[in-house]
Amino acid sequence: MGSQEQTTLVTQNQLFYGTFIYPKTLTELEYLYNTAVAVDQNGTIVAIKRDCDLSQATSTLLPRLGWAPNSVTIHSSSDSHNQFFFPGFIDTHLHAPQYPNVGIFGKSTLLDWLETYTFPLEASLSDPAKARTVYNRVIRKTLSHGTTCAAYYATKDVTTTNLLADLCLRAGQRALVGRVCMDQLSPDYYRDASAADSVAATRESIAYIQSIDPTGAIVRPVITPRFAPSCSAPLMADLGKLAAETGLPVQTHISENEGEIDLVRELFPAKKIGAKGDTYTHVYDTFGLLTDKTILAHGVHLSEEEVEIIKARGSKVSHCPCSNSALASGAARVRWLLERGVEVGLGTDMSGGYSPSVLEAARQAALVSRHVAMGCASVEKGSKGSKANKDGIDRERAKLTVEEVLYLATKGGAELVGMKGRVGGFEVGMEWDVQLIGLGRDVADGEYEGEEKEEEGNVDVFGWESWPDRVAKWVYNGDDRNTRKVWVKGRLVHERK
Amino acid sequence: MGSQEQTTLVTQNQLFYGTFIYPKTLTELEYLYNTAVAVDQNGTIVAIKRDCDLSQATSTLLPRLGWAPNSVTIHSSSDSHNQFFFPGFIDTHLHAPQYPNVGIFGKSTLLDWLETYTFPLEASLSDPAKARTVYNRVIRKTLSHGTTCAAYYATKDVTTTNLLADLCLRAGQRALVGRVCMDQLSPDYYRDASAADSVAATRESIAYIQSIDPTGAIVRPVITPRFAPSCSAPLMADLGKLAAETGLPVQTHISENEGEIDLVRELFPAKKIGAKGDTYTHVYDTFGLLTDKTILAHGVHLSEEEVEIIKARGSKVSHCPCSNSALASGAARVRWLLERGVEVGLGTDMSGGYSPSVLEAARQAALVSRHVAMGCASVEKGSKGSKANKDGIDRERAKLTVEEVLYLATKGGAELVGMKGRVGGFEVGMEWDVQLIGLGRDVADGEYEGEEKEEEGNVDVFGWESWPDRVAKWVYNGDDRNTRKVWVKGRLVHERK
């Protein structure tokens, strides 16, 4: 397996016809009906024609593109099955090796969860056979939920980290794949021997991943310090230099849990590391880990001062609501981040998060934003109400709409993974990372008293709903059954029969 | 359609064999392996034999019961598909006519949501053809999610309320069916003309429902004042008398939203109605609506004083976490209610709640309890932290476990709908209201890289998980695909092919 197999999978020219929906802005979805979108062999959108029927589309677009009719594959969305094309989801934070533990977390919170559930499982994935099973499954699973691009943490093991990259490339799922760096505090059985070892292993994995996909079209390496408590100051400093040297993206965790924040303050006093402040953000900033390609997961308890630094560096935040609720980490203030100009995407954070679905993350983002609206965000210990007002969060503004959570799941995520402007919409020049969503046939009088409707998923459309209402129904009750087909860069990578 | 059709649907004697799991107590699940459960023609469990193989079970149980082998239908759970029998779910609060609106609520909260989305749809369901379509669908849908008993609100229309009861009886889903009483504040197009009219219509619906199922084995009427703001004092007084006269159960809403609570205080001053206090609870109590058969939906913002009254009357609370988060109503303190001796069940509260699934309600109950643990519950305006401590809510105690939310979904609900001790477990004398849950085959090396696993649902079992871990996986990622078969009172009422 390697670049040859993948790069030879160039597709035919394709013409997609029907209903297209995508986030035009944070607050607005664009609806295109009776529209044709032409996608070339490289998976790039080369022409769009609105308000036409299929024969008009073929008779005008194909000659203009110089495409012989018999060289073009045509895909139509089915109106009778409430189908529409929608941009693929981007999962900006998940741990591939933790996938077998989804849903298993008991009453734990971050630090005891790591010791009890997570480190033992991750360590066991140095077994290539087990890693192959788990990684294949997590890729198939996330593809089936419409995830066209994922920012993966693997483990500290180089061989199986590289295997994850191989498997993503073969499956055609875009991925950032990070070998996890961790040289302190974790158990003896699962820790890098030294900062130097950690950096050397990281370089080895980077070189491999770049060798199998030299252009980085599908898989790319990402520098991955697990989180500050797991990394010595020398290791973080070296990884910061590596980021500067290579220009590669960085991913890590920040400000997820109050116990973790206390630990970071204790481990990295500002004076000791030469930081300009004593926050979690200052630690990463001191070591050069906050770049405009840095994905910071969580950011639940960030202060105003920290957000200013993150914004100034151009780093981004991956919001992981399923995980934050499950591990009782807190309720992240997404509106507050957005209003301060920080770019935000969504992460499933498996297995702190219980679900492989970015749609579930979007749904939970909407619900958690309502808990923020109800005054649940941890702004500063002991003075929630007044601080919340100071932060300008009022009940209405904190709430995220259906449109907004779908933006975060697509275009928002694209900003985090370095694909801004390349995916997330139906515009000429963008790449075809797309899902075909189907909500099934309308419920009609006397029909569907039995079994068959269930096969089309959990969403029921009665036929009188507007398109925005149908989209809301999908967000709140949709699942992988509604994701009928998935393409990445024009290539069909998942299909439900 | 009527009682004849239903009561003739007596089943054969049946023997169920395999793995059985049920809530033994609030905190503990019982796991029975290699067990046989004999169910007679009335759907009652008449014998259980543990730790046997199927031939041992048949050779000892059948002669003892006097059942000829060829008169018994045998159903086994499949170990290779991770199947187990589990009690059916009880949905203790939902609005059947609102089903077409699930997921559609925008940024609304309770009072504007009623005006914008809910009253127009409910009013339109006086059309019997539309009501038949919607009610058939909501019954099929909830059955497919394992709901063996539902406490339905219909509309104020008698004919279609009665139709809902007919359809539940035909489908074999146990139901409380309530004709909704509302003689004030709602729009002219959807309001009872007077208290007397409202009571007369209620009596008419009660008589009809009792005529089609005289023993109330499957469908029963329930007295249903919509909520205090929709009901005049005379109407509530008359409905309280009706409850005392008939001994029928009562269902209504309480303390869902802060604006609603203010409205109730304004509409029903203690002095004016002769109440002993000025709370929402005092209003219902004054009118005799708090009985030991009363189901109170929500109870998000109840005070200590109110809970004492509710406990003293033996009334119960339906916790609706999906709805409470979606409409930003608040985070109900379930542990606090349970510790004060109030019985609690789960409600989907469609369409305030977005999901037809009690499993989703259980999942959200666990997540919302973590928001309560994080200090999000509204105990009293302006003094959250100290009051929360006063109430004895600490971070750990507030969290609900997988075991606890499954108890609420089954045995807890049984207490609310008057079926305590009759359903919710596998014990001799209980009735067979049961789901067969299947998590699908184990993910094995090299298998399932493609499509077929998705058909078995969203839960992935790798084979090394304990049974409690498998149950946790079901709770967090399960859906209607995992509900393979559903029985009510021994009758098969849903099956996925």
Side-chain angles (χ1 to χ4, degrees), chain A residues 356-378:
Chain A
S357 162
V358 174
L359 190 66
E360 170 77 7
R363 184 156 54 224
Q364 295 302 318
L367 295 174
V368 166
S369 77
R370 283 158 176 75
H371 284 273
V372 174
M374 295 186 276
C376 303
S378 165

Side-chain angles (χ1 to χ4, degrees), chain B residues 154-471:
Chain B
T155 70
K156 78 173 200 67
D157 183 66
V158 173
T159 304
T160 49
T161 297
N162 295 348
L163 174 64
L164 175 59
D166 285 332
L167 298 174
C168 289
L169 186 60
R170 191 179 70 176
Q173 183 180 52
R174 291 197 210 254
L176 302 185
V177 176
R179 183 261 170 204
V180 177
C181 298
M182 41 194 294
D183 71 340
Q184 68 174 23
L185 276 195
S186 59
D188 289 344
Y189 67 82
Y190 191 51
R191 191 170 64 209
D192 291 324
S194 68
D197 279 9
S198 190
V199 174
T202 297
R203 285 184 181 274
E204 186 185 345
S205 181
I206 290 170
Y208 180 80
I209 295 169
Q210 291 181 328
S211 78
I212 61 169
D213 189 5
T215 67
I218 301 296
V219 294
R220 288 175 286 151
V222 52
I223 296 167
T224 307
R226 184 177 200 106
F227 70 153
S230 290
C231 297
S232 66
L235 175 55
M236 283 195 280
D238 285 350
L239 293 176
K241 285 175 203 152
L242 187 64
E245 171 198 327
T246 59
L248 286 174
V250 174
Q251 62 182 357
T252 190
H253 301 77
I254 197 167
S255 199
E256 177 174 358
N257 162 292
E258 292 180 348
E260 170 212 20
I261 295 167
D262 292 343
L263 180 60
V264 169
R265 190 174 287 114
E266 184 185 310
L267 289 169
F268 302 99
K271 276 191 187 169
K272 186 174 158 196
I273 61 169
K276 292 178 184 160
D278 69 346
T279 72
Y280 204 150
T281 299
H282 282 101
V283 175
Y284 289 140
D285 196 35
T286 300
F287 296 118
L289 288 165
L290 298 185
T291 78
D292 62 359
K293 294 176 185 165
T294 297
I295 303 172
L296 298 167
H298 305 298
V300 173
H301 304 281
L302 294 171
S303 66
E304 287 281 356
E305 181 188 12
E306 291 180 279
V307 170
E308 288 304 314
I309 297 169
I310 290 167
K311 164 67 181 160
R313 302 293 176 264
S315 300
K316 341 277 186 191
V317 171
S318 172
H319 174 47
C320 305
C322 294
S323 170
N324 297 158
S325 296
L327 298 183
S329 300
R333 289 153 293 150
V334 173
R335 178 74 63 206
W336 176 78
L337 290 167
L338 292 171
E339 288 184 348
R340 273 141 193 82
V342 175
E343 288 166 347
V344 180
L346 296 179
T348 61
D349 190 25
M350 294 193 285
S351 69
Y354 50 84
S355 170
S357 162
V358 174
L359 191 66
E360 172 76 6
R363 185 157 51 226
Q364 294 302 319
L367 296 174
V368 166
S369 77
R370 282 158 176 75
H371 284 272
V372 174
M374 293 186 280
C376 302
S378 163
V379 178
E380 191 169 300
K381 286 180 189 173
S383 60
K384 285 174 190 175
S386 58
K387 276 286 179 185
N389 287 335
K390 175 172 164 294
D391 287 324
I393 297 169
D394 65 37
R395 294 175 80 98
E396 283 310 301
R397 274 179 48 236
K399 291 180 189 170
L400 297 173
T401 63
V402 161
E403 289 77 10
E404 288 172 327
V405 298
L406 289 174
Y407 177 93
L408 298 178
T410 55
K411 278 192 172 169
E415 291 171 339
L416 273 69
V417 298
M419 298 192 73
K420 184 173 182 172
R422 286 175 54 200
V423 294
F426 300 104
E427 295 167 16
V428 171
M430 284 187 154
E431 298 183 48
W432 188 258
D433 287 22
V434 172
Q435 319 174 53
L436 175 66
I437 302 298
L439 306 181
R441 283 176 293 154
D442 292 348
V443 175
D445 198 355
E447 282 191 68
Y448 294 139
E449 295 193 14
E451 171 69 15
E452 67 277 22
K453 185 67 178 72
E454 267 68 58
E455 298 310 319
E456 297 192 273
N458 190 39
V459 177
D460 278 340
V461 175
F462 284 80
W464 61 69
E465 297 90 342
S466 67
W467 267 107
D469 284 348
R470 284 175 230 203
V471 169

